[in-house]
Amino acid sequence: MTSFPWLTLLWAVPAVGGAIVILLPAALRNLAKWLALAVSLVVLAITVVLLVQFEPGGEPYQFVENYRWIPSFGTGYILGLDGIALAIVALTAVLVPLLLVAGWNDVADQVSWRGRSVHAYFALTLAVEAMVLMSLVALDVLLFYVFFEAMLIPMYFLIGGFGGAGRSKAAVKFLLYNLFGGLIMLAAVIGLYVVTAQSNAFEPGTFDFRAIAAAVSSGAFVVNPAVAHLLFGGFMFAFAIKAPLWPFHRWLPDAAVQATPASAVLMMAVMDKVGTFGMLRYCLQLFPDSSAYFRPLIITLAVIGIVYGALVAIGQADVMRLIAYTSISHFGFIILGIFVMTSQGQSGSTLYMVNHGLSTAALFLIAGFLVSRQGSRLIAAYGGVQKVAPVLAGTFLVAGLATLSLPGLSPFISEFLVLIGTFTRYPVLAVFASTALVLSAIYILWTYQRMMGGPVKVGNDRIRDLVPREIVVVAPLIALLIVLGIYPKPALDVINPAVTHTLTTIDQPDPVPQMAEGPTR
């Protein structure tokens, strides 16, 4: 494997690019936009290189970079990429340029930013991208934690500085929830170091994820079960808030509705994936026994979240809030697939992270384009849009059908794998989770009928169709939903070996099918 520092370049390019954007003179607003877009496209190009050079059947972690950072604390600058992280890195690299184009005209100069609103908006978006990418490639627990928490700051300013009328309250709510989770996780990170320092397996203590996971898997590093449960709880609590898992979801609807559509998608489709990624990497591999111990509780909460999110979505009058609640339901599916601990479930969950990002981005952005034209988020304010803006209505329908996991569109494959993986261990819970298929059809089709169908309501006759800039955003998302729905093999070829490695590390083989005995002769 090449020794070129691709992973450092991956996160440093948007970090440095964001710093340059914010330092540009205030009058160079257009240059700030184009420079930010160019930086995001460079990140996409680096990701393509990683995809081409990645060997699915090779080492579990590739493109590894390992440098001493604070040796006395057993922490280092350790980066590496497995198939699970690569899938989410690819999602991030694809979405960010599209989100920058989608939010091209969302920001006007505001007094509070001293004429630099455009610079700040685009620089903060690149900052979130940099920190998400760093979190995905970090193989040092402390390094991961630093960027897991740091990404909250630029996201806070994106919500609070550029959102709607209730942006300040939503931003504070977002920050407090996630900072509290991060505080609990910090205690668990420190506790993990202490128990490694007390173990004979490490001299001194360490934050090296690979070393700890390998020692746990081999039995060389054994933690008292009560201590392990507490440490697992600290990590899981932070990830459950970030994901979010019901009932830790209360911050999400307000933040999603008050942020600009592009920032809301950045939060739901990109940043929140770090929470479910953390469950797969850190909760399962560092604390396999605790993960199995708490598995019934977590998957029960996940199923409740699946049904709850779908039911509440049906009753929403605000289209943006409706889409936010659908994400809570989808995150329930992702977490369910992770903790049933089967190869189908975890492969489906990882693919679901990608597919949810694509479908939610498409649906939320198209709804945002519509709201920007009419000025209202209320579903009742619309009607007959398909007659005056057929392309907008058609793409909204395709994105909505993807959200309800229609066969032929990419979320169907991932949802199907999650349900199959769940059924092999928990058939009753799989049946309950399957009810979301019916509920999602209700909230999507009913919403489409009310907003896009019927006679044209007064005021809607002036709604114009998607313009070329908006088509540039929507077309790649629709194309990916269709392509991955018809041919998901390239994505699964990257994901499956990493899932197999995870399940082998935590010693969780797939359940053996029970064959009914026939009559003897």
Side-chain angles (χ1 to χ4, degrees), residues 433-444:
S434 299
T435 60
L437 301 177
V438 178
L439 297 174
S440 61
I442 293 173
Y443 63 67
I444 288 297

Side-chain angles (χ1 to χ4, degrees), residues 7-8 10-16 18-19 43 79 88-89 92 96 123-138 143-158 242 266 270-275 277:
L7 299 186
T8 294
L10 180 70
W11 74 267
V13 165
V16 174
V43 175
L79 309 182
I88 310 174
V89 166
T92 304
V96 170
L124 289 169
T125 301
L126 290 177
V128 172
E129 180 182 28
M131 293 174 186
V132 167
L133 292 173
M134 183 56 160
S135 298
L136 295 172
V137 302
L143 190 65
F144 168 82
Y145 172 79
V146 169
F147 284 88
F148 178 81
E149 284 294 279
M151 71 178 69
L152 300 177
I153 304 305
M155 195 70 239
Y156 166 80
F157 284 111
L158 281 172
K242 180 85 80 177
L266 182 67
V270 176
M271 192 190 76
D272 289 354
K273 297 300 188 304
V274 180
F277 168 78

Side-chain angles (χ1 to χ4, degrees), residues 282-511:
Y282 296 98
C283 288
L284 265 61
Q285 297 190 56
L286 295 180
F287 313 104
D289 293 339
S290 297
S291 298
Y293 180 81
F294 288 106
R295 175 169 58 186
L297 172 63
I298 294 170
I299 63 175
T300 299
L301 294 178
V303 172
I304 292 173
I306 290 170
V307 179
Y308 167 84
L311 284 173
V312 175
I314 293 173
Q316 295 303 307
D318 182 324
V319 63
M320 310 304 270
R321 190 172 288 272
L322 182 151
I323 300 171
Y325 275 105
T326 67
S327 284
I328 294 170
S329 181
H330 294 316
F331 273 110
F333 272 110
I334 295 170
I335 296 168
L336 175 64
I338 291 171
F339 279 92
V340 294
M341 299 181 192
T342 61
S343 57
Q344 299 98 328
Q346 293 194 356
S347 293
S349 286
T350 305
L351 187 60
Y352 211 135
M353 293 184 213
V354 176
N355 292 333
H356 168 263
L358 298 174
S359 61
T360 296
L363 191 61
F364 210 92
L365 291 176
I366 296 167
F369 295 151
L370 180 58
V371 170
S372 69
R373 286 158 164 76
Q374 211 270 2
S376 175
R377 299 197 308 262
L378 295 178
I379 295 172
Y382 297 89
V385 174
Q386 64 185 6
K387 296 179 181 178
V388 296
V391 176
L392 188 154
T395 53
F396 184 91
L397 178 61
V398 174
L401 293 176
T403 300
L404 64 81
S405 300
L406 183 76
L409 297 172
S410 58
F412 168 76
I413 303 295
S414 43
E415 196 163 296
F416 180 77
L417 286 172
V418 168
L419 290 173
I420 290 295
T422 303
F423 191 84
T424 58
R425 287 195 194 275
Y426 300 96
V428 174
L429 289 177
V431 170
F432 276 109
S434 299
T435 60
L437 301 177
V438 178
L439 297 174
S440 61
I442 293 173
Y443 63 67
I444 288 297
L445 297 179
W446 191 31
T447 299
Y448 181 84
Q449 180 186 36
R450 288 181 289 168
M451 295 182 69
M452 308 298 173
V456 179
K457 285 194 174 182
V458 176
N460 289 343
D461 55 332
R462 295 189 297 272
I463 293 177
R464 70 185 193 281
D465 215 338
L466 295 181
V467 299
R469 175 181 62 84
E470 295 165 339
I471 293 175
V472 167
V473 174
V474 174
L477 296 172
I478 299 296
L480 286 170
L481 289 172
I482 295 172
V483 170
L484 289 176
I486 296 172
Y487 191 59
K489 185 177 183 297
L492 289 173
D493 284 346
V494 170
I495 293 167
N496 286 340
V499 167
T500 300
H501 171 75
T502 299
L503 291 173
T504 301
T505 300
I506 65 176
D507 192 24
Q508 287 286 339
D510 285 332

